[in-house]
Amino acid sequence: AGFIGLFTDFGYTDCSMVDTPGEIHVYVIHKATPGATASQFRVAVDAGVMCTPVDVIHNFPTTLGDPATGISVSYGTCYSSDILLFTWVFSCSGNSLPCSKLEIVPDPAVATGTIEVFDCNHFRLVGGGGLMYVNPDGSCDCGEVVPVEDTSWGQIKALYQ
């Protein structure tokens, strides 16, 4: 199932954001997937993040919803590598609180209460959610998300959904 991550670089490795006045792009990526066709989740934004969303640049035409309230992305085919889902553009003031964060969480509209990922056989799996710290000060580290393994917990949970 992999995980949905938030990054500020094209290599999809930097999961921290320094709030400088101006426009900042956050890349929302489906990472570490052995194969997926869709996902559904929400991006929770802490009150300490003093950035305003100004645009969402979708990578797939079949996208429903909004990142802040819940979004569903259909990939159109099976992908088994890192997948750029969309770019969320923020206008920032430079005043975000240290270690405030953006985090991938379940879409409240999803009955299972999980971050949902659909594999290449259209089975529903549980995906992991990454986070991004804004203005990290050394006491916060987004680290690496360990995805839910398709062969274990993700498939077991899918049996009961």
Side-chain angles (χ1 to χ4, degrees), residues 11 29 43 58 68 74 85 88 92 94 98-99 126 132 134 146 158:
I29 310 296
V43 183
H58 298 284
S74 176
L85 303 181
W88 206 4
C92 296
C99 294
V126 176
M132 169 179 283
V134 180
V146 178

Side-chain angles (χ1 to χ4, degrees), residues 24-159:
I24 296 176
H25 291 194
V26 173
Y27 304 103
V28 181
I29 310 296
H30 190 163
K31 287 188 66 83
T33 176
T37 60
S39 57
Q40 188 167 354
F41 56 92
R42 178 175 82 86
V43 183
V45 181
D46 270 0
V49 177
M50 301 299 163
C51 299
T52 304
V54 294
D55 195 11
V56 179
I57 303 167
H58 298 284
N59 200 36
F60 296 100
T62 310
T63 300
L64 302 172
D66 177 81
T69 57
I71 192 163
S72 176
V73 182
S74 176
Y75 310 162
T77 190
C78 178
Y79 287 96
S80 58
S81 59
D82 291 351
I83 308 161
L84 172 62
L85 303 181
F86 57 88
T87 304
W88 206 4
V89 183
F90 290 88
S91 175
C92 296
S93 65
N95 297 318
S96 292
L97 298 176
C99 294
S100 50
K101 64 184 176 181
L102 286 77
E103 184 174 12
I104 302 294
V105 298
D107 180 339
V110 173
T112 61
T114 63
I115 297 166
E116 290 192 343
V117 171
F118 289 84
D119 71 8
C120 296
N121 294 313
H122 307 289
F123 289 111
R124 180 184 356 210
L125 303 174
V126 176
L131 60 86
M132 169 179 283
Y133 281 108
V134 180
N135 292 338
D137 66 1
S139 67
C140 53
D141 178 23
C142 51
E144 184 69 30
V145 174
V146 178
V148 174
E149 290 294 326
D150 292 338
T151 57
S152 58
W153 186 240
Q155 286 186 350
I156 292 168
K157 283 191 78 166
L159 293 172

Side-chain angles (χ1 to χ4, degrees), residues 11-29:
Y12 313 136
T13 59
D14 188 359
C15 53
S16 62
M17 179 173 86
V18 176
D19 175 0
T20 55
E23 194 173 271
I24 296 176
H25 291 194
V26 173
Y27 304 103
V28 181
I29 310 296

